[in-house]
Amino acid sequence: MYVDSHVHFWKLSRGDYGWLKEDNARLYQDYMPERLLPELHACGVKELIAVQAAPTAEEAAFLLELSQIWPLIAGVSGGLDPFADRFSEQLESLAASPRLAGIRLNGSAFRADRPAAEQRRLRAALVGLLEADLTLDLLAQPGDLAGAAVYLEEVPALRAVINHLGCPNVREGKEEPWHSGMERLARLPHTAVKLSGMITMAGGPRAGLLRPYVERLVRMFGSDRLMFGSDWPVALQAGGYGDVIRLFEEVLPAELEEEAKGKIRAGNARRYYGLHETS
């Protein structure tokens, strides 16, 4: 059984997906839950977290509405601007829904060259997430990981989940600054990592490129702080949903016990995002 900690849904007519471009025919189309449902059933996925594809409160509300229609969406990790004047107001409004599980921020928000006023706002936003008992999703490039750790060290009780292995450059086999950044983040006891986005990162189901990074993460974070995520539909650029599942299973270290693998497949995501038990 799997819990997919990282799925996107979007409807182009909503108009706030600035990163989606017409020249990418694979992604520039609507991706709604009904397109994924057969794949989830076939692969044994029981629940998922819908993750923001636009950094707006409106898109977070859209995902929360989908969660009311599709019970498989057990939680939503929305996108908000931590520097916006209305951040606290928007967070409070969204958190009125029990399906709001977290907020995703970009690693660029944590850069040291941010103006002092923005740094104060970011710190206040992180405290707000902690007080609301929400999880921080962090999409960060390797160069931003250490900077993110500086902020997270100030709120060590905040649950944080690093997306896509911390985005290492697996095709070129680079380790730094990824390794040192992830090593610092691993010292924070409530910070976890998603084994997500791997098939796109590697340009296909190339387990040999990914396995060294996954093995390092297992050593650094342990089986209690890793979780499965597909990054559907972005992953479709390199393979189908079944390919993503098979790649995930292939890169898990063979020496891991089945109990540990079960935590990574489902248990850790349920714990980090506060999902309630379902039948």
Side-chain angles (χ1 to χ4, degrees):
M1 190 271 278
Y2 298 90
V3 171
D4 191 336
S5 70
H6 204 97
V7 174
H8 302 290
F9 299 114
W10 57 71
K11 190 174 183 179
L12 295 178
S13 61
R14 293 193 53 264
D16 55 1
Y17 310 103
W19 64 280
L20 285 169
K21 305 299 183 184
E22 291 187 46
D23 58 1
N24 189 333
R26 171 66 71 180
L27 297 186
Y28 198 76
Q29 52 186 288
D30 290 348
Y31 282 100
M32 298 289 279
E34 55 265 32
R35 294 188 64 169
L36 182 58
L37 203 60
E39 301 274 13
L40 297 178
H41 288 323
C43 293
V45 178
K46 302 300 183 184
E47 295 174 302
L48 61 84
I49 300 295
V51 177
Q52 62 92 205
T56 66
E58 292 77 14
E59 198 242 4
F62 163 72
L63 294 176
L64 289 169
E65 289 172 5
L66 289 182
S67 75
Q68 297 301 311
I69 301 168
W70 302 92
L72 204 71
I73 303 174
V76 168
S77 186
L80 291 178
D81 179 358
F83 308 119
D85 292 337
R86 297 184 60 210
F87 176 84
S88 295
E89 175 189 339
Q90 291 173 332
L91 183 65
E92 183 178 3
S93 176
L94 293 170
S97 169
R99 293 293 178 102
L100 186 73
I103 296 294
R104 183 160 84 147
L105 301 181
N106 194 284
S108 61
F110 296 83
R111 291 175 183 167
D113 59 357
R114 286 278 183 182
E118 289 189 354
Q119 294 183 35
R120 287 193 294 272
R121 289 197 173 198
L122 178 58
R123 288 185 168 91
L126 297 179
V127 170
L129 293 181
L130 177 62
E131 292 176 343
D133 194 26
L134 295 171
T135 297
L136 168 69
D137 261 303
L138 182 58
L139 176 62
Q141 296 300 312
D144 293 324
L145 295 171
V150 170
Y151 283 85
L152 294 179
E153 286 162 358
E154 297 177 9
V155 280
L158 176 63
R159 296 189 306 274
V161 184
I162 311 303
N163 294 181
H164 309 333
L165 286 70
C167 300
N169 187 339
V170 302
R171 298 196 205 188
E172 296 183 14
K174 290 186 177 179
E175 292 200 11
E176 294 298 340
W178 175 81
H179 186 271
S180 56
M182 294 303 287
E183 199 169 42
R184 183 167 179 175
L185 287 164
R187 299 187 194 115
L188 295 162
H190 297 291
T191 295
V193 182
K194 290 183 183 181
L195 304 183
S196 59
M198 293 189 290
I199 198 167
T200 312
M201 199 183 304
R206 304 163 73 185
L209 292 181
L210 294 156
R211 194 173 290 112
Y213 296 91
V214 173
E215 289 174 349
R216 284 173 176 80
L217 291 174
V218 171
R219 287 197 294 270
M220 285 190 277
F221 288 84
S223 60
D224 288 329
R225 293 194 289 152
L226 299 174
M227 64 187 73
F228 164 70
S230 68
D231 198 26
W232 186 92
V234 178
L236 294 176
Q237 297 175 107
Y241 197 89
D243 296 319
V244 170
I245 294 279
R246 286 187 288 274
L247 176 63
F248 166 76
E249 291 291 340
E250 193 173 349
V251 299
L252 288 180
E255 63 270 17
L256 280 179
E257 295 182 358
E258 194 60 28
E259 181 182 358
K261 290 180 179 179
K263 292 178 181 179
I264 300 172
R265 292 179 184 125
N268 296 335
R270 306 190 87 263
R271 179 166 52 87
Y272 263 82
Y273 289 102
L275 306 185
H276 300 294
E277 290 294 336
T278 58
S279 57

